[in-house]
């Protein structure tokens, strides 16, 4: 239900902007389509590989090891490990969410999964080096990261505490 | 009007490090499943994967079109002026909403964050915008997170992280960092 609502919003917003683009002229309408096509050429292979890799990974990940290190019972230590892994995880959303989903399927706890994804959202090297540092400067990036540093641990700990 | 993302810096590589890892995981994983679990299991997993791809595909297409048209229809300055306007809590609220609902990946968010400074937004609001985009981006949540992680976990994650951008903004405002002077270093690149 939640996903359905979000999906309708997504398609509705895309349709509305498409109409707005068409009113602005054919160049804008087709310029957007061409631009999106270029983005898709970048994303589609990553999506397909991410899904396939995650499927295989979930099957192969040793459940006992995942549960011991990242399971619910691994508690705060598990959150710390997960946040550390998330902070150094390379690549974009296809890779990170695919791996997180595979880990969850193999027995990782919710709080640990959240710590992993949150750490990636805030600290992804990819994002920091390719985008944040060039656009906002090295010092800005550093200060922003220092302020954000506690967040993945707090989110993971809160999840353990709230949803256990 | 902004030039399309394909003509803007920094250019992304078709095959980057993340891609190499994705290829490695898929090939090594496939080989492992074939050898350890047998071809039957291998093809069963591929079948599940195909269904998942069919499920996510149209959403990704919609998200890409949405972001592309938005980039063409709105200037960074206009977006930054609108979402970066207002001081105090009102400014925080706009920046917070802007970060969560703006579609598109980093190629949309960072130019806008950089434009916040030029548009006269305050330091706290700019920090709120970036943190909100990083943690709450609806686009990324719908397209990617919900595709791979079960919805209850995603919703719980969103609920728990709701206050985080505000906290980061308050710290930024209290300390005066990271400052726009630091940001200018990036713009001089």
């Amino acid at each position: 239900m939640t996903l359905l609502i979000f999906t309708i919003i997504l398609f509705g917003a895309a349709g509305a902007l498409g109409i707005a683009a068409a009113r602005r002229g054919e160049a804008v309408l087709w310029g957007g389509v061409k631009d999106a096509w270029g983005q898709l050429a970048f994303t589609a292979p990553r999506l397909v590989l991410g899904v396939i890799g995650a499927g295989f990974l979930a099957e192969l990940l040793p459940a006992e090891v995942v549960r011991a290190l990242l399971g619910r019972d691994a508690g705060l230590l598990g959150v710390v490990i997960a946040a550390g892994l998330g902070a150094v995880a390379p690549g974009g959303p296809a890779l990170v969410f695919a791996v997180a989903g595979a880990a969850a399927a193999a027995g990782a706890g919710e709080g640990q999964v959240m710590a992993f994804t949150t750490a990636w959202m805030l600290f992804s090297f990819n994002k920091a080096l390719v985008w944040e540092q060039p656009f906002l400067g090295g010092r800005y990036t550093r200060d922003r990261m220092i302020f954000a540093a506690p967040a993945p641990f707090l989110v993971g700990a809160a999840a353990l505490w709230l949803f256990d | 009007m902004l030039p399309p993302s394909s003509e803007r810096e920094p250019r992304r590589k078709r095959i980057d490090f993340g891609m190499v890892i994705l290829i490695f995981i898929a090939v090594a994983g496939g080989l492992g499943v074939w050898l350890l679990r047998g071809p039957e299991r291998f093809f069963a997993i591929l079948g599940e994967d195909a269904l998942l791809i069919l499920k996510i595909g149209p959403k990704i297409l919609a998200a890409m079109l949405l972001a592309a048209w938005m980039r063409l229809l709105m200037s960074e300055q206009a977006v930054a002026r609108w979402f970066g306007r207002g001081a105090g809590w009102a400014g925080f609220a706009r920046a917070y909403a802007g970060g969560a609902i703006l579609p598109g990946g980093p190629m949309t968010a960072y130019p806008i964050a950089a434009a916040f400074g030029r548009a006269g937004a305050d330091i706290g609001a700019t920090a709120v915008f970036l943190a909100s985009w990083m943690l709450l981006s609806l686009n990324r949540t719908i397209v990617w997170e919900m595709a791979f992680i079960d919805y209850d976990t995603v919703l719980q994650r969103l609920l728990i992280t709701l206050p985080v951008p505000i906290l980061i903004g308050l710290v930024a405002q209290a300390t005066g960092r990271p400052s726009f002077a630091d940001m200018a270093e990036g713009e001089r690149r």
Side-chain angles (χ1 to χ4, degrees), chain A residues 47-61 94-103 105, chain B residues 22 25-26 29 33 45 49 52 148:
Chain A
L47 167 75
V48 171
L49 285 168
V51 169
I52 291 174
F56 291 142
L57 202 61
E59 178 82 9
L60 292 175
L61 279 178
L95 179 60
V96 167
F97 290 118
V99 168
Chain B
L22 281 169
I25 293 178
V33 169
I45 293 173
D49 293 346
L52 184 58
F148 289 104

Side-chain angles (χ1 to χ4, degrees), chain B residues 159-178:
Chain B
L159 285 176
I160 295 175
T161 39
L162 281 181
V164 175
I166 300 291
L167 292 176
I168 290 177
L170 288 174
V171 175
Q173 201 153 49
T175 57
R177 306 186 69 112

Side-chain angles (χ1 to χ4, degrees), chain A residues 109-134:
Chain A
E110 290 88 348
Q112 286 78 4
V113 168
M114 290 181 206
F116 174 80
T117 54
T118 311
W120 168 78
M121 289 170 195
L122 291 168
F123 299 105
S124 155
F125 283 118
N126 204 28
K127 212 153 46 183
L129 288 178
V130 179
W131 297 98
E132 190 164 10
Q133 196 265 333

Side-chain angles (χ1 to χ4, degrees), chain B residues 94-140:
Chain B
R94 274 177 189 246
Y96 188 87
I101 64 176
L102 274 180
M107 84 285 301
T108 309
Y110 284 108
I112 289 173
F116 262 62
R118 291 192 294 272
D122 78 23
I123 290 169
T126 307
V128 169
F129 169 80
L130 259 190
S132 168
W133 169 73
M134 285 178 176
L135 292 168
L136 305 175
S137 162
L138 277 179
N139 186 58
R140 189 200 52 213

Side-chain angles (χ1 to χ4, degrees), chain B residues 58-69:
Chain B
K59 280 191 283 172
I60 297 212
L61 191 63
M64 303 266 149
L65 281 168
L66 177 62
W69 281 324

